[in-house]
Amino acid sequence: MAKKFPLNPPHPERLCWGCDLYCPSGALACGNGAERTMHPVETFGEDWYRFGDLAISPEPGAKHLEPPAATRK
């Protein structure tokens, strides 16, 4: 079974997110190349899981970001 993929990890830059190993950025074990795979939060922002039809939702009771009430439609 695959590890749970965190929506907003505290320090995504410290890990490679390319596979289920989640290796430290300086010690890649899967051999996927010389660079680490960035977490989507680094590329698309903290609400990355809301775009498209990824079918990802926060777990009940989990801390997640909601848009401010003034910007909700």
mmCIF file of all heavy atoms in Angstrom, residues 3-28:
data_model
loop_
_atom_site.group_PDB
_atom_site.id
_atom_site.type_symbol
_atom_site.label_atom_id
_atom_site.label_comp_id
_atom_site.label_asym_id
_atom_site.label_seq_id
_atom_site.Cartn_x
_atom_site.Cartn_y
_atom_site.Cartn_z
ATOM 1 N N LYS A 3 2.128 5.059 0.695
ATOM 2 C CA LYS A 3 2.057 5.963 1.837
ATOM 3 C C LYS A 3 1.037 7.063 1.561
ATOM 4 O O LYS A 3 0.795 7.419 0.413
ATOM 5 C CB LYS A 3 3.414 6.616 2.081
ATOM 6 C CG LYS A 3 4.488 5.667 2.529
ATOM 7 C CD LYS A 3 5.778 6.438 2.752
ATOM 8 C CE LYS A 3 6.906 5.530 3.147
ATOM 9 N NZ LYS A 3 8.153 6.271 3.357
ATOM 10 N N LYS A 4 0.470 7.613 2.623
ATOM 11 C CA LYS A 4 -0.429 8.752 2.473
ATOM 12 C C LYS A 4 0.377 9.929 1.935
ATOM 13 O O LYS A 4 1.475 10.204 2.407
ATOM 14 C CB LYS A 4 -1.039 9.141 3.819
ATOM 15 C CG LYS A 4 -1.993 8.126 4.360
ATOM 16 C CD LYS A 4 -3.375 8.579 4.094
ATOM 17 C CE LYS A 4 -4.348 7.618 4.742
ATOM 18 N NZ LYS A 4 -5.635 7.689 4.176
ATOM 19 N N PHE A 5 -0.164 10.612 0.963
ATOM 20 C CA PHE A 5 0.518 11.764 0.369
ATOM 21 C C PHE A 5 0.049 13.017 1.097
ATOM 22 O O PHE A 5 -1.140 13.347 1.069
ATOM 23 C CB PHE A 5 0.195 11.860 -1.119
ATOM 24 C CG PHE A 5 1.087 12.803 -1.861
ATOM 25 C CD1 PHE A 5 2.372 12.442 -2.197
ATOM 26 C CD2 PHE A 5 0.646 14.066 -2.212
ATOM 27 C CE1 PHE A 5 3.204 13.306 -2.887
ATOM 28 C CE2 PHE A 5 1.466 14.942 -2.904
ATOM 29 C CZ PHE A 5 2.750 14.556 -3.239
ATOM 30 N N PRO A 6 0.942 13.728 1.783
ATOM 31 C CA PRO A 6 0.532 14.901 2.544
ATOM 32 C C PRO A 6 0.127 16.061 1.636
ATOM 33 O O PRO A 6 0.764 16.314 0.620
ATOM 34 C CB PRO A 6 1.771 15.249 3.362
ATOM 35 C CG PRO A 6 2.908 14.688 2.583
ATOM 36 C CD PRO A 6 2.371 13.463 1.885
ATOM 37 N N LEU A 7 -0.933 16.760 2.009
ATOM 38 C CA LEU A 7 -1.404 17.889 1.207
ATOM 39 C C LEU A 7 -0.485 19.099 1.341
ATOM 40 O O LEU A 7 -0.172 19.748 0.355
ATOM 41 C CB LEU A 7 -2.827 18.270 1.614
ATOM 42 C CG LEU A 7 -3.891 17.205 1.393
ATOM 43 C CD1 LEU A 7 -5.252 17.745 1.799
ATOM 44 C CD2 LEU A 7 -3.914 16.759 -0.047
ATOM 45 N N ASN A 8 -0.093 19.427 2.548
ATOM 46 C CA ASN A 8 0.767 20.589 2.798
ATOM 47 C C ASN A 8 1.831 20.236 3.828
ATOM 48 O O ASN A 8 1.706 20.581 5.004
ATOM 49 C CB ASN A 8 -0.060 21.777 3.293
ATOM 50 C CG ASN A 8 -0.946 22.338 2.219
ATOM 51 O OD1 ASN A 8 -0.480 22.630 1.126
ATOM 52 N ND2 ASN A 8 -2.220 22.472 2.498
ATOM 53 N N PRO A 9 2.895 19.546 3.426
ATOM 54 C CA PRO A 9 3.939 19.174 4.391
ATOM 55 C C PRO A 9 4.678 20.413 4.892
ATOM 56 O O PRO A 9 4.758 21.425 4.183
ATOM 57 C CB PRO A 9 4.863 18.272 3.581
ATOM 58 C CG PRO A 9 4.652 18.678 2.173
ATOM 59 C CD PRO A 9 3.222 19.113 2.075
ATOM 60 N N PRO A 10 5.219 20.357 6.108
ATOM 61 C CA PRO A 10 5.870 21.537 6.677
ATOM 62 C C PRO A 10 7.117 22.004 5.914
ATOM 63 O O PRO A 10 7.352 23.186 5.796
ATOM 64 C CB PRO A 10 6.225 21.120 8.094
ATOM 65 C CG PRO A 10 6.028 19.665 8.165
ATOM 66 C CD PRO A 10 5.173 19.243 7.021
ATOM 67 N N HIS A 11 7.930 21.090 5.401
ATOM 68 C CA HIS A 11 9.150 21.452 4.658
ATOM 69 C C HIS A 11 9.275 20.571 3.413
ATOM 70 O O HIS A 11 10.110 19.666 3.361
ATOM 71 C CB HIS A 11 10.390 21.290 5.541
ATOM 72 C CG HIS A 11 10.419 22.211 6.705
ATOM 73 N ND1 HIS A 11 10.750 23.539 6.590
ATOM 74 C CD2 HIS A 11 10.119 22.017 8.007
ATOM 75 C CE1 HIS A 11 10.676 24.107 7.764
ATOM 76 N NE2 HIS A 11 10.281 23.207 8.654
ATOM 77 N N PRO A 12 8.478 20.828 2.375
ATOM 78 C CA PRO A 12 8.516 19.953 1.203
ATOM 79 C C PRO A 12 9.851 19.959 0.469
ATOM 80 O O PRO A 12 10.196 18.992 -0.204
ATOM 81 C CB PRO A 12 7.401 20.503 0.312
ATOM 82 C CG PRO A 12 7.257 21.923 0.716
ATOM 83 C CD PRO A 12 7.564 21.948 2.191
ATOM 84 N N GLU A 13 10.620 21.026 0.616
ATOM 85 C CA GLU A 13 11.897 21.138 -0.091
ATOM 86 C C GLU A 13 12.947 20.166 0.423
ATOM 87 O O GLU A 13 13.985 19.967 -0.210
ATOM 88 C CB GLU A 13 12.416 22.573 -0.006
ATOM 89 C CG GLU A 13 12.901 23.004 1.362
ATOM 90 C CD GLU A 13 11.810 23.416 2.349
ATOM 91 O OE1 GLU A 13 10.620 23.405 1.988
ATOM 92 O OE2 GLU A 13 12.161 23.746 3.491
ATOM 93 N N ARG A 14 12.713 19.539 1.543
ATOM 94 C CA ARG A 14 13.697 18.635 2.137
ATOM 95 C C ARG A 14 13.608 17.210 1.601
ATOM 96 O O ARG A 14 14.480 16.399 1.868
ATOM 97 C CB ARG A 14 13.524 18.599 3.655
ATOM 98 C CG ARG A 14 13.833 19.911 4.315
ATOM 99 C CD ARG A 14 13.694 19.806 5.803
ATOM 100 N NE ARG A 14 13.911 21.090 6.447
ATOM 101 C CZ ARG A 14 13.727 21.315 7.728
ATOM 102 N NH1 ARG A 14 13.313 20.333 8.515
ATOM 103 N NH2 ARG A 14 13.940 22.511 8.230
ATOM 104 N N LEU A 15 12.539 16.895 0.860
ATOM 105 C CA LEU A 15 12.332 15.534 0.378
ATOM 106 C C LEU A 15 12.111 15.499 -1.123
ATOM 107 O O LEU A 15 11.692 16.478 -1.724
ATOM 108 C CB LEU A 15 11.102 14.915 1.049
ATOM 109 C CG LEU A 15 11.154 14.770 2.556
ATOM 110 C CD1 LEU A 15 9.820 14.287 3.065
ATOM 111 C CD2 LEU A 15 12.252 13.856 3.000
ATOM 112 N N CYS A 16 12.344 14.316 -1.701
ATOM 113 C CA CYS A 16 11.979 14.059 -3.090
ATOM 114 C C CYS A 16 10.637 13.351 -3.062
ATOM 115 O O CYS A 16 10.459 12.368 -2.348
ATOM 116 C CB CYS A 16 13.024 13.182 -3.760
ATOM 117 S SG CYS A 16 12.570 12.704 -5.447
ATOM 118 N N TRP A 17 9.680 13.842 -3.843
ATOM 119 C CA TRP A 17 8.321 13.305 -3.833
ATOM 120 C C TRP A 17 8.033 12.436 -5.048
ATOM 121 O O TRP A 17 6.888 12.173 -5.385
ATOM 122 C CB TRP A 17 7.324 14.468 -3.766
ATOM 123 C CG TRP A 17 7.537 15.264 -2.529
ATOM 124 C CD1 TRP A 17 8.304 16.386 -2.409
ATOM 125 C CD2 TRP A 17 7.033 14.996 -1.233
ATOM 126 N NE1 TRP A 17 8.298 16.839 -1.118
ATOM 127 C CE2 TRP A 17 7.518 15.999 -0.368
ATOM 128 C CE3 TRP A 17 6.215 14.009 -0.705
ATOM 129 C CZ2 TRP A 17 7.211 16.037 0.984
ATOM 130 C CZ3 TRP A 17 5.910 14.047 0.633
ATOM 131 C CH2 TRP A 17 6.407 15.046 1.456
ATOM 132 N N GLY A 18 9.071 11.932 -5.717
ATOM 133 C CA GLY A 18 8.890 11.187 -6.956
ATOM 134 C C GLY A 18 8.361 9.781 -6.821
ATOM 135 O O GLY A 18 7.847 9.222 -7.768
ATOM 136 N N CYS A 19 8.470 9.171 -5.652
ATOM 137 C CA CYS A 19 7.958 7.816 -5.444
ATOM 138 C C CYS A 19 7.578 7.664 -3.975
ATOM 139 O O CYS A 19 7.598 8.623 -3.227
ATOM 140 C CB CYS A 19 8.993 6.771 -5.860
ATOM 141 S SG CYS A 19 10.464 6.756 -4.826
ATOM 142 N N ASP A 20 7.289 6.461 -3.557
ATOM 143 C CA ASP A 20 6.863 6.222 -2.172
ATOM 144 C C ASP A 20 8.014 6.191 -1.172
ATOM 145 O O ASP A 20 7.791 5.998 0.011
ATOM 146 C CB ASP A 20 6.082 4.916 -2.065
ATOM 147 C CG ASP A 20 4.708 5.011 -2.680
ATOM 148 O OD1 ASP A 20 4.239 6.141 -2.889
ATOM 149 O OD2 ASP A 20 4.109 3.970 -2.958
ATOM 150 N N LEU A 21 9.248 6.368 -1.621
ATOM 151 C CA LEU A 21 10.384 6.331 -0.702
ATOM 152 C C LEU A 21 10.537 7.634 0.087
ATOM 153 O O LEU A 21 11.026 7.614 1.205
ATOM 154 C CB LEU A 21 11.681 6.030 -1.465
ATOM 155 C CG LEU A 21 11.762 4.667 -2.139
ATOM 156 C CD1 LEU A 21 13.073 4.542 -2.909
ATOM 157 C CD2 LEU A 21 11.623 3.551 -1.120
ATOM 158 N N TYR A 22 10.159 8.765 -0.502
ATOM 159 C CA TYR A 22 10.288 10.090 0.131
ATOM 160 C C TYR A 22 11.698 10.285 0.693
ATOM 161 O O TYR A 22 11.902 10.510 1.874
ATOM 162 C CB TYR A 22 9.248 10.282 1.234
ATOM 163 C CG TYR A 22 7.812 10.210 0.773
ATOM 164 C CD1 TYR A 22 6.802 9.990 1.676
ATOM 165 C CD2 TYR A 22 7.461 10.364 -0.556
ATOM 166 C CE1 TYR A 22 5.474 9.925 1.272
ATOM 167 C CE2 TYR A 22 6.141 10.301 -0.974
ATOM 168 C CZ TYR A 22 5.158 10.081 -0.048
ATOM 169 O OH TYR A 22 3.854 10.020 -0.449
ATOM 170 N N CYS A 23 12.691 10.181 -0.164
ATOM 171 C CA CYS A 23 14.094 10.285 0.242
ATOM 172 C C CYS A 23 14.487 11.727 0.558
ATOM 173 O O CYS A 23 13.925 12.660 -0.002
ATOM 174 C CB CYS A 23 14.994 9.805 -0.892
ATOM 175 S SG CYS A 23 14.725 8.098 -1.359
ATOM 176 N N PRO A 24 15.494 11.905 1.410
ATOM 177 C CA PRO A 24 16.052 13.241 1.608
ATOM 178 C C PRO A 24 16.570 13.768 0.268
ATOM 179 O O PRO A 24 17.034 13.008 -0.579
ATOM 180 C CB PRO A 24 17.198 13.021 2.587
ATOM 181 C CG PRO A 24 16.894 11.733 3.268
ATOM 182 C CD PRO A 24 16.133 10.906 2.263
ATOM 183 N N SER A 25 16.490 15.069 0.075
ATOM 184 C CA SER A 25 16.829 15.655 -1.230
ATOM 185 C C SER A 25 18.266 15.405 -1.653
ATOM 186 O O SER A 25 18.563 15.404 -2.834
ATOM 187 C CB SER A 25 16.543 17.154 -1.225
ATOM 188 O OG SER A 25 17.319 17.798 -0.238
ATOM 189 N N GLY A 26 19.171 15.150 -0.712
ATOM 190 C CA GLY A 26 20.563 14.910 -1.063
ATOM 191 C C GLY A 26 20.935 13.446 -1.169
ATOM 192 O O GLY A 26 22.089 13.124 -1.419
ATOM 193 N N ALA A 27 19.981 12.524 -0.972
ATOM 194 C CA ALA A 27 20.282 11.097 -0.994
ATOM 195 C C ALA A 27 19.146 10.336 -1.666
ATOM 196 O O ALA A 27 18.419 9.592 -1.032
ATOM 197 C CB ALA A 27 20.495 10.591 0.433
ATOM 198 N N LEU A 28 19.005 10.503 -2.969
ATOM 199 C CA LEU A 28 17.923 9.854 -3.694
ATOM 200 C C LEU A 28 18.230 8.373 -3.892
ATOM 201 O O LEU A 28 19.278 8.004 -4.394
ATOM 202 C CB LEU A 28 17.708 10.531 -5.043
ATOM 203 C CG LEU A 28 17.441 12.033 -4.989
ATOM 204 C CD1 LEU A 28 17.265 12.586 -6.390
ATOM 205 C CD2 LEU A 28 16.233 12.327 -4.143
#
